Amino acid sequence: MTPTRLTALLTTSTLIAMSVVGTSSAYAEDDPNDPPGTEPSASAPVEVDPNDPDLKIPDGATLAQAKVLDIKSVVEDQSGDERREDTNTNVTFALQAEVLFGKDSAKLGAEAKSRIAGIAEEVSNQNATRVRVFGFTDDLGSSAHGDVLSKKRANAVHDVLTQTLNDADITYEVRGYGEQYPIADNSTEAGRKKNRRVEVSFPRTEA
């Protein structure tokens, strides 16, 4: 039976955030410096006239600099094994490590290749030519061990993607971040399970 899909639509098209002032074929790099997904993607905000009489702000207050927030849609299957995040510029898949690998292993399990093949199909549908594969762990064990394991897992997923897509025009960025950039609370097993993951992301190029 198809699992129930939970969809959270965050923000709306081109939101302007204002506040009143006054009253996130390569192998994993050994030393990844830049955090994932930090490049700017939204366009410049719409200009707002602070002297517009319809703009109600307290006397003496000024507007902070406006920011544009991307449209973001998050879909997670009921078990939480797979998560898809869409913005107006990027698609990101996050697969929990338990779906792909055995405990403390970087060897792909039986179900893993079909899951990765589904992601490869979406890469192809979007005509993406740049793909990021990032591995992450929880904070149990040593940081050094988590760094090594996350790199090996990212490399394993990368290998299947390259074999499945077989496209020399695609450039891959593969990194292992270990326990950095958790998406859930590491103090609970449910949170640690979410943090043990491999993310595959690529630009949205489909019209």
Side-chain angles (χ1 to χ4, degrees):
M1 183 174 66
T2 303
T4 302
R5 311 289 287 191
L6 302 177
T7 305
L9 294 178
L10 308 178
T11 78
T12 57
S13 177
T14 313
L15 288 177
I16 302 177
M18 299 180 292
S19 60
V20 175
V21 179
T23 28
S24 219
S25 163
Y27 275 92
E29 299 176 10
D30 290 332
D31 184 23
N33 295 316
D34 300 323
T38 57
E39 68 281 357
S41 59
S43 57
V46 176
E47 290 188 11
V48 177
D49 181 4
N51 299 314
D52 190 321
D54 293 327
L55 187 62
K56 307 296 183 183
I57 60 175
D59 290 341
T62 58
L63 290 177
Q65 186 175 1
K67 293 189 297 184
V68 176
L69 306 179
D70 281 339
I71 298 172
K72 182 180 289 187
S73 170
V74 178
V75 180
E76 187 174 276
D77 65 18
Q78 192 173 36
S79 65
D81 290 344
E82 183 173 330
R83 168 188 170 100
R84 173 175 175 154
E85 180 179 299
D86 289 85
T87 70
N88 56 326
T89 55
N90 289 289
V91 180
T92 301
F93 286 91
L95 294 175
Q96 288 187 1
E98 281 80 353
V99 177
L100 301 173
F101 309 99
K103 184 177 180 180
D104 202 31
S105 170
K107 183 177 180 180
L108 291 167
E111 187 184 349
K113 290 187 177 182
S114 64
R115 294 266 190 159
I116 298 170
I119 295 175
E121 182 177 359
E122 186 64 17
V123 172
S124 181
N125 289 342
Q126 296 290 344
N127 298 313
T129 57
R130 180 170 58 86
V131 177
R132 288 174 158 180
V133 186
F134 295 153
F136 304 87
T137 64
D138 59 31
D139 66 353
L140 297 181
S142 72
S143 176
H145 176 73
D147 289 346
V148 171
L149 182 60
S150 65
K151 291 174 187 177
K152 288 181 177 179
R153 286 177 168 176
N155 285 334
V157 172
H158 160 261
D159 287 347
V160 176
L161 281 173
T162 56
Q163 292 166 13
T164 305
L165 290 166
N166 192 27
D167 188 341
D169 292 331
I170 298 178
T171 300
Y172 294 87
E173 181 182 356
V174 188
R175 296 184 177 184
Y177 284 95
E179 64 188 50
Q180 298 182 74
Y181 312 111
I183 58 173
D185 187 353
N186 269 314
S187 68
T188 68
E189 176 52 29
R192 290 191 293 270
K193 185 177 181 182
K194 286 181 176 289
N195 291 333
R196 298 189 294 264
R197 68 198 190 279
V198 175
E199 292 185 357
V200 179
S201 61
F202 43 92
R204 176 182 296 284
T205 55
E206 188 178 44

